[in-house]
Amino acid sequence: MVSFVRKAVRSVRRRFSGTITHVETAEPLVALTFDDGPDPVITPALLKLLGGHGAKATFFMTGEHAAAYPELVAAVRDGGHAIGNHSWDHPSFPLISGRERRSQIRRCAGVLPGSDRSLFRPPYGHQSTASRRDALLTGHEVIAWSVCVPDWEDHDGEWLADFALQRITPGSVVLMHDGMVDFLGAASPGREATLDAVGRILAALHGRYGFITVPELLRRGKAVRTAWWMEPDLEILNSLQRKSGTPRRYALPELSR
Ligand SMILES: [Zn+2]
């Protein structure tokens, strides 16, 4: 009995503090996820590519981009894909106030239609105890990833696809980008390499893996949760450039308010 209670407490605690990275399953299933979109050029091309393989994916959109391209949000939804919340305009959550975090999530949720609004992916993957709590307070489940494809770096599609294919196993959640809110250096790396990589991944795993959405993957297996505390690097964050608008600059004293 005591061990049962202890187990139950541990399970509740894990549910409260844990962040989903992937799913435990023996079935060959994988969830491709695309962050920072929708993008007027890349997202439609990506939808076509996925459709050609009967593949479903999950799009973690920023509210700002979703509000700018409602027809793309509808196209993603109509294609049977899932849509998750990636904040309004992509700040590092541990570096802003709790009030702003909750407002970022709610404002984004306001422009995302449908029933998958309860999925949240923190910008940059940055998370603190306080920001995890705010996701919970706004009714969101935090979804991180188990395979992070570095498509913000300068790699071609073949390299990115090989990187992903070496790491994908049943139940993987794969992070890529169909948009790019901000970037290192002088120019935004094009998303064409990501498109090329997705085509190669879909072709390589065609008939061997099922490509499904995160909500569907969560229904098909057991969510694996981990203590996910990714701390922001202020120097890198403050050097990022944005395609449009003024890049956000952070000061240390804002930390953990
Ligand atoms: Zn992002």
Side-chain angles (χ1 to χ4, degrees), residues 35-36 62 86 90 122-124 177 181:
D35 288 9
D36 292 18
T62 64
H86 196 41
H90 213 271
Y124 314 102
H177 295 81
V181 173

Side-chain angles (χ1 to χ4, degrees), residues 6 33 90 100 122 142 157 182 227 240:
R6 204 175 292 151
T33 68
H90 213 271
E100 193 187 350
V142 179
D182 40 22
L240 292 177

Side-chain angles (χ1 to χ4, degrees), residues 34-44 59-74 76 83 112 178-180:
F34 300 97
D35 288 9
D36 292 18
D39 175 272
V41 176
I42 301 301
T43 309
F59 293 78
F60 286 94
M61 301 179 178
T62 64
E64 207 172 42
H65 289 168
Y69 306 107
E71 69 287 359
L72 290 178
V73 180
V76 169
I83 298 176
L112 301 181
D178 62 331
M180 192 59 66

